[in-house]
Amino acid sequence: MAYIIGIDTGGTFTDIVVLSEDDGKVTTDKAPSTPRDFSIGVIDAVENAARQLGMSGFQLLNNTAIFAIGTTVATNMLLTHTGTKTGHITTKGFEDTLLIGRVNQKIAGLSGIDVLDLARLDKARPVIPRNLIKGVTERIDYKGEVIVPLVYQETAQVVRDLVEKEHVEAIAVVLLWSFMNPEHEQEIKKIINQMYPQIYVTISSELVPKIKEYERAATTSINAYVGKGTSRYISSLGTRLKENGLKLPPMIMQNMGGFTTADEACRKPVLTCNSGPAGGVVGAQALANLLGYKNIITTDMGGTSFDVGLVVNGVSQFASQLILDKYVTLNPTIDVTSIGAGSGSIAWIEPDTGLLKVGPQSAAADPGPVCYEKGGTEPTVTDANIVLGRYPGHLLGGKIKLNKEKSFSAIKTKIADPLKMDVATAAISIIDIVDSHMADLIRKVTVAKGYDPGDFVIFSFGGAGAAHVGSYGYVGSKTAIIPNFASEFSAFGICSSDVIHINELSEPMRYPFGTERITAIYQDLENKALKDFQAEGFSRENILLTRLVDLRYIGQIQEMATRVPAGDLNHQDMERVIDEFEAAYELKYGKGSAYKIAGIEATTYRVHGVGKIIKPSPKKRRRGPANSSAAIKEKRDVYFRECDGFRLINVYDRGKLQPGNIVEGPAIIEAVDTTVVVHPGQTVKLDGYSNMIMQLSQG
Amino acid sequence: MQRVNEYLEIVEEAGEKAFRCKCGYILGPATDNYKTYALKCESPLKKAGPNVNPYKVGGEKFVFREFCCPGCYTLLGTDIALRGEPLLRDVEL
Amino acid sequence: MRTKNKIDPVTFEILRHRVGAINDEGASSLMLVSGSPVASEVLDFNTALLNAKGEVIVIGPYILEHGISLEQIVKYIIANYQDNPGINEGDMFLCNDPYVGALHQNDVALVAPIYWEGELVGWTGVAVHQQDVGGPGKGQVSIGATSIFEEAPVFPPIKLIERGIIRKDLEGEYFKRSRLPERLGLDLRAMTASNNVTSRRIRELIKDRGIETVKSTFDAIIDYVEVKLRSRLMELPDGTWRHTAYLDYGDKIYPCKLTMTKKKDKLVFDFTGTAAQAPAVINCTYPVLQAIVTGVFMMYLGYGIFPPSSGAAGRCLEVVSEPGTFVHAIWPAGVSKATTGARYSVIDAGSVCLAKMLAASDKYRDRVMAPWRSSSIIADLFGIDQRGAYFGASILDFMAGGAGARSYKDGIDTGGQLGAPAIAIANVETHEFRYPMLFLYRKQERDTGGPGKFRGGVALGYMWMPHDVEEISNAVIHAIGLQSPNGVGIYGGYPSSTHVVSLKRNTNILDIFRDGKLPASLDEIDGKFEIPPQLVETSLKKNDIIVGLGQGGGGYGDPIERDARLVANDVTNELVSRECARDIYGVVLDPQTLQPDIKQTEERRLEIKRERAGWQK
């Protein structure tokens, strides 16, 4: 028996998904996260899953072919400013690039309302203080021509000062136009390696050889800043797993939706930031593939935030940048958009207008909603669900007890009485508001980008999503899917990922392009990718390489990634690429938006490489009857707006539902880790893979 | 008492409202411009810093005015003004 | 909700966000479709949604006045165009007429009525800065113009799109005089798309919620924001605050005199006494003055209120001014540089008065900001680029000026502009790829932030030269804020730097490169030094070098009260020179450690106090 293990280390829990290679069986479990040393929580989760499988943790690991993990170590280091002391070397005269942050660093990642809160804005807390940023004499121009050569003596002195006077442990090197001509950066790296081999070095032309020096500097600096710490964690995790029976080093999840080797992750730790949410999108993509859906909206509702991603035509949508702690980083990443709305979002009344508001503040897990009785006093979305009868009196199969009376009195005194409402109306209003915030975000990610939600299926995961998708999903989509193991879904996604290497290079040129040069760039990028994949043991037939080029109209900012054919490129090939770009451009931005007269520019060339991992296909369970009455565990009064109040309805036990069973709304379906609210007019059907397929009411 | 700013407040002093510095010094009646009762200094712009019109573009039409409390010598205000322009009364509460 | 409209509060809470999101979507469509650097990189544009009366319900978070200004344009159309040319479903009106409401001729607005089953429910609009709409001067400024007739052409609202169809004759008329007609074309399409998206979404909302609910929501939003703003005003003390901002142009100084009076929940901005208008270029019109005042007010008091509604803000304000002054120009005074002319003076005067009002309240003290950079150096470049093509460029790096100091912390270094929180500057690599230029440095400039107990943010400095071409044939350089700093200090804080523009012609820079050196300042380069006039059209040869130094933000509080360790940090971070540390902050640093020498600092600060003690009453 061989296994594939996916682990997602989150703030509260470490989730594990184990896939049995022989029979496709999926086992899920979790253990509390252990922030002081995350590897302890990882081993605990492995032990828990092993117990379910009737073996020891050692046995499970010993029989594991692939162990893939999503880690938040790098992100945490960045957010808590606990990375290593890092120096930065750049072109003389441009030492302040990271601090200037193109001016708009002060609003990076903020919502509209915070953007306008001028007296409270500030730029990023520098990961590298100004006194550790050093300029060196050298200059390369936009063509890659050396205007002023690098001066060895000066550079060596700068390196010596940084290491011996300032005691930096890492150095980030970012020179102007280094992606057009990396010689100077490479020379600096050589100097550092020769003088101080123990220093962790990242040069921008290796990590992110793309135009835009601020964003390149941000990416490179963060990478160097979290490099040593992430490496230490990965290697200690590797050792611990090895001691516990794992034969191969662990694979590490990256934010572009694939995992990579531990070595590569140690070189490019910045790519592990935000890999958890990416895992969720990849999992949804894999599952959608199995179920035959091409277009999906992924939604993940947790305690504090609501994340939305998109899969269009079977492909997860990428963003060309990722904002990390107000720094804009430039690696392509799975596009996940978030707002502060979750089950812990706090309901409150605005003093000067008397309006009811929900969030963005959250009671999170600590102190948590009032009903947890852990000291929370402000009513939350969870408290509203309890009052409305939607949640049972406990969570996690009885591990957490929920005190309904406390929820009721908090909503009564803080919301209902001041607004002169009854408590149930106050509670349903809280739910309506949070659901509408989430629906607004879905619209922003779809409609505002030219997609019609009616063409999409909504995937709802995260512990709280199932209770709300019947309402926030009402954006035009006809179907919502609550996957099996919805609450460990990111770990499932990590488990179902492949190895991905993206190699890129900027070399802006204008049409007509030099096809020989472009061919050479792609061959170079492909060779790099092949070398990595082959070193990781992939045979050629399992390696999938896709060429992309970022094109745009001259004088415009919007770039569009366009497919480029394989092999030696000729003029006709590039003509076809441009035709495809223009067609796609008009499709996205509207007829007449293509602006051919202006001319076309190519900026960045990219090879997206996938090393396919052969995974077992999950087994389909036999279909049972449509009648679901055998799974009814009780009747309960539950509030629905559609019923103008409480109604006595059936509550189903998710564990007892059979494939093919149909539950008609209004109803509640309770699982160990999630609760599904089925509104009047909606139905939920269990499919052969134990996913719940919800038909959303229309009209 | 009414706060005026970082350093000044308006207090009742013998039935009259007056500007008082945080050090306790009474500058003068609140119905007046506090600057009248402050110690004053008028200098060329370069006193305000090395990058304040260093090449004297347009000649030297402007002056830099400083006002401090006669009690504690805290700088209460600064003004950029055209040479010869009367003192600006910047606050009336 | 304690407002006039009867709409259920939960529906209101839901639709308030929805309406804000719809306006944002209009803005995103504009950025996507335009793709022009001005709209999607510098973000010099904004969108707004208005009610049927033409009051702004919501503006986007981009350049505030662009959104605010649409109110005057829509109100003008409603008042004048009912019968001829008529207002119908599918119409869109284009306008760049500053005497109607456009900020200046280069800011082009496109507004559209939104109908539902024949009933006018509201308006949507967008305004985008255009690099060149024609006229004698390349770019926005006609040097030496003596009236608006010698500036860029003016289009009062024209019905460019009639029942969904663009009028080809009028489109041609609009494009014809521009040096960059393709850019106009691209942005026009983007503006059309933006209005279409917003109208469509509002109609979908009506379909979903009913017309009465949507109409009430529109009005309720404005009422809601008004209630919030007025309750803030009520909490602030009544009083009068004054400030004079100075605009330097040609041989003259134009004082902008503001008396701001707050009584209960109303603010009056009175500009009586402001200098007479100039013949052309720097003035702004009255509708624009109103928009600017509304924008500054929202920046200081509109925080945390969603959605930002300038219609509501306008209800709390009254703007008094004298016709014929440079903030209230009368026809045919030219206004082509209004946005980087009179506007900056108004923002500056408004900022100081609002900051001082907030400073008088214990509750609002931490909202005080000394004025931000409020002036400009613009280089509009035209010529043949490194690839042999005609190009036009606006170099707007001056935008990276400093933010004003706060009452509890420093202003943001290279913080930007008060009324435009989202603006950005382009990367050096982006400039150099697009245009024939090479930067020699671009950095945060020492001693540009106003000293104070809390320091104003420092500004950007940069030095560049033409590259890979023999010359840039037309460089129109226009700057204000060269003679006096706009970022004045408050409560003993010192002012920021002024803008400084300098040139060195026919330099030995290429020899310096050949010697393997990169000069760190103009002093290290030989050549003919020049301080150009404030407005100049010149050419730049391949060995010419241009240097710009920006304006920082004003300081807050007595500089000698600043924590000496913060001063030491500033010196280490090259934001303050050791000379200023000693002379202005009274902080003496140990030359070895660059840490404050406590004893000498105490002595120096006493010395400063002794100097002050010698001043006269």
Side-chain angles (χ1 to χ4, degrees):
Chain A
M1 196 73 126
Y3 299 97
I4 297 175
I5 292 181
I7 298 247
D8 180 37
T9 324
T12 323
F13 286 108
T14 298
D15 297 333
I16 182 167
V17 169
V18 183
L19 190 61
S20 309
E21 287 203 322
D22 301 0
D23 58 2
K25 186 172 171 306
V26 179
T27 308
T28 68
D29 215 311
K30 53 179 70 205
S33 289
T34 49
R36 242 185 257 162
D37 178 359
F38 280 109
S39 61
I40 298 170
V42 171
I43 299 294
D44 291 347
V46 170
E47 292 289 348
N48 288 350
R51 204 166 303 128
Q52 280 196 53
L53 289 163
M55 60 178 87
S56 72
F58 192 92
Q59 276 173 305
L60 173 57
L61 287 175
N62 211 244
N63 287 299
T64 294
I66 293 172
F67 184 100
I69 178 163
T71 166
T72 54
V73 165
T75 315
N76 288 347
M77 232 179 288
L78 178 64
L79 297 179
T80 56
H81 275 247
T82 48
T84 48
K85 193 172 183 184
T86 304
H88 180 98
I89 297 176
T90 185
T91 306
K92 189 177 144 194
F94 301 89
E95 293 87 346
D96 292 331
T97 300
L98 268 175
L99 298 149
I100 297 164
R102 295 188 58 199
V103 176
N104 63 348
Q105 188 187 68
K106 65 182 185 291
I107 59 149
L110 299 184
S111 66
I113 190 162
D114 293 329
V115 166
L116 291 169
D117 196 352
L118 239 64
R120 295 285 180 273
L121 293 180
D122 275 299
K123 290 202 180 156
R125 211 170 117 203
V127 285
I128 303 180
R130 179 62 182 83
N131 63 314
L132 301 182
I133 302 175
K134 306 288 181 191
V136 291
T137 302
E138 71 82 41
R139 187 66 154 94
I140 288 167
D141 79 355
Y142 74 104
K143 290 184 291 195
E145 275 176 22
V146 175
I147 303 279
V148 176
L150 183 76
V151 181
Y152 179 88
Q153 296 300 342
E154 185 197 76
T155 307
Q157 188 57 46
V158 161
V159 171
R160 196 171 299 123
D161 286 351
L162 279 174
V163 176
E164 293 183 14
K165 282 200 191 139
E166 305 288 356
H167 310 291
V168 304
E169 292 183 63
I171 298 177
V173 184
V174 186
L175 306 179
L176 284 177
W177 296 106
S178 61
F179 56 94
M180 287 298 293
N181 179 350
E183 276 172 33
H184 290 174
E185 281 192 1
Q186 283 165 355
E187 217 172 307
I188 296 175
K189 184 180 177 180
K190 216 159 85 190
I191 293 170
I192 301 170
N193 283 342
Q194 275 167 359
M195 292 171 70
Y196 306 102
Q198 78 281 13
I199 295 292
Y200 185 97
V201 187
T202 306
I203 67 174
S204 78
S205 49
E206 281 178 4
L207 179 71
V208 50
K210 291 166 80 172
I211 188 164
K212 289 189 180 179
E213 78 273 5
Y214 161 62
E215 291 82 352
R216 194 166 73 245
T219 317
T220 308
S221 299
I222 290 173
N223 196 71
Y225 182 69
V226 300
K228 277 214 160 164
T230 309
S231 304
R232 262 198 298 273
Y233 168 70
I234 290 176
S235 94
S236 87
L237 175 72
T239 311
R240 197 181 278 263
L241 288 168
K242 197 172 165 189
E243 286 164 6
N244 282 277
L246 189 69
K247 288 176 184 155
L248 292 163
M251 302 293 276
I252 312 296
M253 187 67 179
Q254 298 184 307
N255 56 26
M256 89 286 274
F259 42 77
T260 188
T261 58
D263 280 353
E264 168 96 349
C266 292
R267 276 195 303 276
K268 300 182 173 179
V270 68
L271 302 187
T272 66
C273 293
N274 227 31
S275 55
V281 178
V282 173
Q285 186 187 353
L287 186 54
N289 211 7
L290 179 73
L291 303 181
Y293 295 109
K294 283 201 163 327
N295 296 327
I296 59 177
I297 301 164
T298 71
T299 63
D300 180 350
M301 184 183 181
T304 55
S305 74
F306 180 67
D307 298 341
V308 179
L310 272 192
V311 176
V312 180
N313 254 328
V315 182
S316 330
Q317 296 298 288
F318 274 67
S320 54
Q321 55 184 41
L322 173 67
I323 295 170
L324 294 172
D325 204 22
K326 285 197 172 173
Y327 285 104
V328 178
T329 63
L330 264 195
N331 297 97
T333 161
I334 292 214
D335 196 2
V336 179
T337 311
S338 298
I339 50 165
S343 56
S345 291
I346 291 171
W348 55 288
I349 296 172
E350 190 171 59
D352 44 358
T353 59
L355 271 182
L356 174 61
K357 313 253 173 179
V358 182
Q361 297 85 355
S362 168
D366 193 17
V370 181
C371 58
Y372 281 22
E373 299 188 283
K374 278 163 66 186
T377 54
E378 303 307 314
T380 65
V381 169
T382 295
D383 293 304
N385 275 321
I386 289 272
V387 165
L388 297 172
R390 294 180 173 191
Y391 280 0
H394 52 80
L395 286 180
L396 292 178
K399 283 185 200 157
I400 300 175
K401 291 261 179 291
L402 304 179
N403 186 328
K404 188 172 178 173
E405 284 68 41
K406 290 233 158 133
S407 294
F408 187 92
S409 85
I411 292 178
K412 182 174 180 344
T413 54
K414 304 246 165 156
I415 309 290
D417 290 352
L419 293 179
K420 301 190 177 62
M421 287 175 170
D422 63 70
V423 175
T425 308
I428 194 70
S429 299
I430 293 169
I431 301 290
D432 283 348
I433 289 170
V434 76
D435 287 349
S436 74
H437 289 342
M438 293 190 284
D440 280 346
L441 185 67
I442 296 177
R443 283 193 199 93
K444 185 176 164 185
V445 169
T446 53
V447 178
K449 289 183 179 165
Y451 299 113
D452 178 358
D455 301 333
F456 287 74
V457 168
I458 295 180
F459 271 55
S460 169
F461 45 90
H468 292 265
V469 66
S471 167
Y472 72 67
Y474 187 65
V475 285
S477 305
K478 292 172 185 65
T479 308
I481 291 174
I482 300 148
N484 196 6
F485 33 83
S487 80
E488 296 91 10
F489 204 69
S490 282
F492 171 77
I494 290 167
C495 202
S496 38
S497 297
D498 295 308
V499 174
I500 293 185
H501 294 300
I502 294 180
N503 285 287
E504 308 180 88
L505 179 71
S506 277
E507 190 172 312
M509 55 176 88
R510 287 185 173 175
Y511 180 80
F513 306 123
T515 48
E516 266 177 44
R517 177 65 195 136
I518 295 186
T519 304
I521 292 173
Y522 278 120
Q523 280 168 349
D524 194 40
L525 296 172
E526 283 162 350
N527 287 338
K528 264 190 212 161
L530 286 175
K531 215 177 108 201
D532 285 345
F533 281 123
Q534 274 153 6
E536 288 154 16
F538 283 95
S539 56
R540 187 63 186 85
E541 71 269 21
N542 287 329
I543 304 170
L544 195 74
L545 300 180
T546 308
R547 291 176 174 182
L548 295 160
V549 59
D550 290 340
L551 294 175
R552 67 176 177 212
Y553 291 104
I554 292 174
Q556 291 203 50
I557 304 297
Q558 315 306 339
E559 293 179 340
M560 247 173 106
T562 311
R563 286 259 208 148
V564 174
D568 284 351
L569 299 165
N570 59 34
H571 201 63
Q572 281 88 347
D573 291 330
M574 291 316 287
E575 288 287 302
R576 272 196 296 276
V577 171
I578 284 174
D579 289 345
E580 202 176 298
F581 161 71
E582 301 213 279
Y585 197 93
E586 290 220 322
L587 196 68
K588 185 154 185 190
Y589 302 129
K591 207 124 194 74
S593 61
Y595 207 64
K596 210 167 187 170
I597 327 163
I600 287 171
E601 257 165 25
T603 54
T604 301
Y605 313 88
R606 183 176 313 114
V607 169
H608 187 108
V610 178
K612 274 274 175 224
I613 293 183
I614 310 304
K615 274 152 276 184
S617 28
K619 274 227 186 86
K620 218 169 173 167
R621 283 166 66 198
R622 273 224 359 252
R623 202 169 236 240
N627 189 321
S628 58
S629 53
I632 297 174
K633 62 188 259 196
E634 61 172 341
K635 279 189 183 284
R636 191 157 80 211
D637 274 321
V638 177
Y639 190 103
F640 285 98
R641 226 188 232 301
E642 299 89 333
C643 308
D644 290 321
F646 284 95
R647 187 193 276 192
L648 193 63
I649 60 160
N650 291 328
V651 176
Y652 293 80
D653 182 347
R654 160 73 182 73
K656 290 194 180 136
L657 284 179
Q658 298 296 316
N661 280 182
I662 294 175
V663 173
E664 281 182 28
I668 297 287
I669 305 170
E670 287 177 7
V672 174
D673 50 9
T674 193
T675 300
V676 187
V677 175
V678 192
H679 288 255
Q682 297 175 342
T683 58
V684 166
K685 184 173 160 183
L686 200 72
D687 75 1
Y689 304 106
S690 299
N691 302 300
M692 288 181 272
I693 316 287
M694 179 183 275
Q695 294 306 320
L696 298 161
S697 65
Q698 295 298 315
Chain B
M1 192 210 76
Q2 165 65 52
R3 171 188 285 284
V4 178
N5 60 42
E6 176 85 12
Y7 300 125
L8 298 181
E9 52 206 21
I10 292 173
V11 291
E12 288 263 335
E13 184 75 7
E16 296 280 311
K17 287 191 171 176
F19 282 115
R20 185 176 73 187
C21 178
K22 63 173 172 130
C23 71
Y25 184 89
I26 301 287
L27 282 106
T31 48
D32 234 343
N33 187 354
Y34 82 88
K35 292 174 187 168
T36 317
Y37 305 96
L39 298 178
K40 293 179 268 294
C41 176
E42 184 169 301
S43 325
L45 278 192
K46 72 171 183 218
K47 192 188 177 194
N51 290 319
V52 187
N53 195 6
Y55 298 109
K56 302 195 170 67
V57 174
E60 289 184 84
K61 300 188 188 106
F62 289 94
V63 292
F64 179 51
R65 290 173 176 164
E66 294 170 276
F67 309 95
C68 82
C69 167
C72 64
Y73 311 119
T74 296
L75 204 52
L76 301 174
T78 65
D79 278 341
I80 299 286
L82 286 165
R83 195 179 296 278
E85 205 174 359
L87 292 183
L88 179 75
R89 186 176 174 196
D90 65 340
V91 56
E92 281 175 49
L93 281 171
Chain C
M1 192 176 53
R2 294 190 288 272
T3 59
K4 300 177 278 259
N5 288 283
K6 286 197 184 81
I7 172 168
D8 122 63
V10 175
T11 307
F12 176 72
E13 177 59 14
I14 290 167
L15 295 188
R16 177 171 72 95
H17 283 92
R18 187 78 188 280
V19 166
I22 287 174
N23 187 60
D24 282 354
E25 193 188 333
S28 326
S29 331
L30 177 103
M31 282 190 272
L32 289 175
V33 180
S34 154
S36 81
V38 172
S40 44
E41 191 166 77
V42 183
L43 307 176
D44 194 348
F45 80 97
N46 212 343
T47 53
L49 181 70
L50 307 91
N51 66 14
K53 286 178 283 187
E55 292 174 299
V56 172
I57 304 158
V58 49
I59 57 173
Y62 305 99
I63 293 197
L64 263 57
E65 297 102 324
H66 277 314
I68 301 168
S69 70
L70 298 171
E71 176 155 334
Q72 299 302 335
I73 296 172
V74 168
K75 283 182 170 169
Y76 179 93
I77 294 169
I78 294 171
N80 296 286
Y81 286 4
Q82 291 292 352
D83 303 323
N84 179 2
I87 303 168
N88 298 300
E89 187 158 3
D91 291 348
M92 291 198 201
F93 299 85
L94 178 126
C95 171
N96 80 334
D97 184 347
Y99 284 86
V100 171
L103 301 180
H104 62 153
Q105 293 97 311
N106 284 63
D107 287 336
V108 178
L110 189 73
V111 298
I114 305 171
Y115 281 88
W116 177 257
E117 293 175 349
E119 183 182 352
L120 180 71
V121 284
W123 292 73
T124 167
V126 51
V128 184
H129 179 87
Q130 301 297 326
Q131 222 162 315
D132 190 289
V133 292
K138 296 183 173 71
Q140 51 185 303
V141 176
S142 299
I143 295 170
T146 57
S147 74
I148 199 162
F149 301 116
E150 291 150 51
E151 293 186 338
V154 177
F155 298 91
I158 52 170
K159 196 196 274 190
L160 182 61
I161 294 172
E162 207 167 335
R163 296 182 194 270
I165 311 286
I166 189 154
R167 289 264 312 256
K168 277 200 172 163
D169 51 345
L170 293 181
E171 188 189 32
E173 164 79 7
Y174 169 51
F175 292 165
K176 194 71 185 181
R177 297 181 205 99
S178 171
R179 292 169 185 82
L180 301 165
E182 319 81 47
R183 293 268 172 94
L184 289 189
L186 209 54
D187 278 342
L188 181 61
R189 267 188 289 234
M191 290 156 89
T192 312
S194 170
N195 283 340
N196 280 336
V197 162
T198 306
S199 301
R200 190 159 65 237
R201 296 289 173 255
I202 293 297
R203 285 198 299 270
E204 284 165 8
L205 190 63
I206 293 172
K207 203 173 148 201
D208 191 23
R209 297 277 183 167
I211 184 158
E212 286 315 315
T213 306
V214 171
K215 274 165 58 187
S216 319
T217 302
F218 283 0
D219 292 335
I221 287 174
I222 304 178
D223 294 346
Y224 161 80
V225 176
E226 184 186 351
V227 166
K228 296 207 57 135
L229 290 170
R230 286 192 192 276
S231 74
R232 281 183 185 168
L233 285 173
M234 282 305 285
E235 290 183 332
L236 288 157
D238 288 347
T240 297
W241 291 267
R242 292 186 192 83
H243 186 68
T244 305
Y246 303 92
L247 191 140
D248 46 345
Y249 170 61
D251 306 328
K252 285 177 72 177
I253 301 297
Y254 294 77
C256 167
K257 295 196 177 212
L258 170 60
T259 302
M260 184 189 86
T261 303
K262 192 237 125 181
K263 204 170 172 192
K264 292 196 174 136
D265 59 0
K266 179 128 193 148
L267 267 177
V268 180
F269 288 79
D270 185 344
F271 291 91
T272 302
T274 291
Q277 66 191 34
V281 184
I282 54 154
N283 310 297
C284 73
T285 62
Y286 182 72
V288 173
L289 174 64
Q290 281 183 310
I292 300 165
V293 168
T294 309
V296 190
F297 171 69
M298 289 174 77
M299 287 282 89
Y300 277 85
L301 277 151
Y303 60 85
I305 306 177
F306 190 86
S309 167
S310 54
R315 290 181 186 172
C316 309
L317 310 175
E318 185 185 335
V319 180
V320 179
S321 56
E322 297 169 297
T325 54
F326 84 100
V327 299
H328 183 160
I330 50 174
W331 187 265
V335 295
S336 56
K337 195 179 155 59
T339 50
T340 53
R343 168 169 167 242
Y344 282 144
S345 302
V346 174
I347 290 178
D348 199 16
S351 296
V352 176
C353 288
L354 286 161
K356 290 186 173 179
M357 174 176 75
L358 295 166
S361 155
D362 286 322
K363 180 171 174 187
Y364 289 93
R365 268 190 77 214
D366 64 354
R367 291 277 160 192
V368 172
M369 294 178 278
W372 291 42
R373 182 274 302 163
S374 196
S375 54
S376 61
I377 310 175
I378 297 174
D380 287 326
L381 309 177
F382 293 86
I384 304 298
D385 71 13
Q386 63 267 50
R387 300 170 189 91
Y390 186 75
F391 81 103
S394 269
I395 306 303
L396 302 171
D397 291 8
F398 80 90
M399 287 199 174
R406 293 166 271 201
S407 61
Y408 65 103
K409 75 194 294 190
D410 292 348
I412 308 165
D413 293 326
T414 51
Q417 179 166 318
L418 187 79
I423 53 162
I425 57 170
N427 274 300
V428 164
E429 287 171 352
T430 304
H431 278 320
E432 293 185 354
F433 177 70
R434 279 193 202 136
Y435 310 125
M437 57 199 305
L438 184 88
F439 279 76
L440 294 155
Y441 66 73
R442 192 168 82 170
K443 61 181 180 186
Q444 302 203 119
E445 199 74 68
R446 222 195 298 255
D447 296 335
T448 52
K453 179 179 176 181
F454 296 104
R455 178 177 53 71
V458 301
L460 195 74
Y462 46 90
M463 176 156 92
W464 62 268
M465 58 189 277
H467 181 60
D468 232 15
V469 288
E470 287 301 308
E471 65 161 8
I472 293 173
S473 57
N474 294 87
V476 183
I477 300 164
H478 44 110
I480 61 160
L482 297 174
Q483 299 193 35
S484 77
N486 304 85
V488 299
I490 54 174
Y491 308 131
Y494 268 39
S496 70
S497 56
T498 56
H499 272 128
V500 182
V501 190
S502 48
L503 277 167
K504 234 170 209 179
R505 302 278 195 180
N506 198 17
T507 67
N508 62 336
I509 183 69
L510 297 179
D511 297 331
I512 296 177
F513 287 161
R514 263 192 293 278
D515 291 345
K517 296 205 172 76
L518 264 184
S521 84
L522 206 52
D523 299 340
E524 299 172 25
I525 304 166
D526 294 335
K528 191 173 150 280
F529 182 73
E530 254 179 50
I531 295 293
Q534 281 191 251
L535 283 94
V536 66
E537 179 163 1
T538 183
S539 66
L540 297 169
K541 309 290 179 204
K542 69 173 177 188
N543 290 331
D544 294 349
I545 292 175
I546 180 164
V547 173
L549 179 126
Q551 272 205 359
Y556 180 99
D558 188 344
I560 66 170
E561 288 188 3
R562 183 167 178 79
D563 185 333
R565 285 166 305 181
L566 293 180
V567 177
N569 282 345
D570 285 348
V571 171
T572 303
N573 294 338
E574 302 187 21
L575 302 172
V576 169
S577 65
R578 288 182 62 185
E579 294 70 36
C580 283
R582 187 192 60 233
D583 296 348
I584 298 175
Y585 291 103
V587 174
V588 183
L589 300 180
D590 180 305
Q592 244 61 60
T593 62
L594 285 184
Q595 286 308 301
D597 180 318
I598 294 169
K599 192 153 164 287
Q600 288 195 57
T601 296
E602 257 172 44
E603 278 169 18
R604 170 66 192 140
R605 287 184 160 176
L606 265 176
E607 186 182 38
I608 291 174
K609 288 203 169 183
R610 275 196 298 273
E611 277 168 33
R612 291 175 184 171
W615 298 348
Q616 301 300 308
K617 268 200 181 169

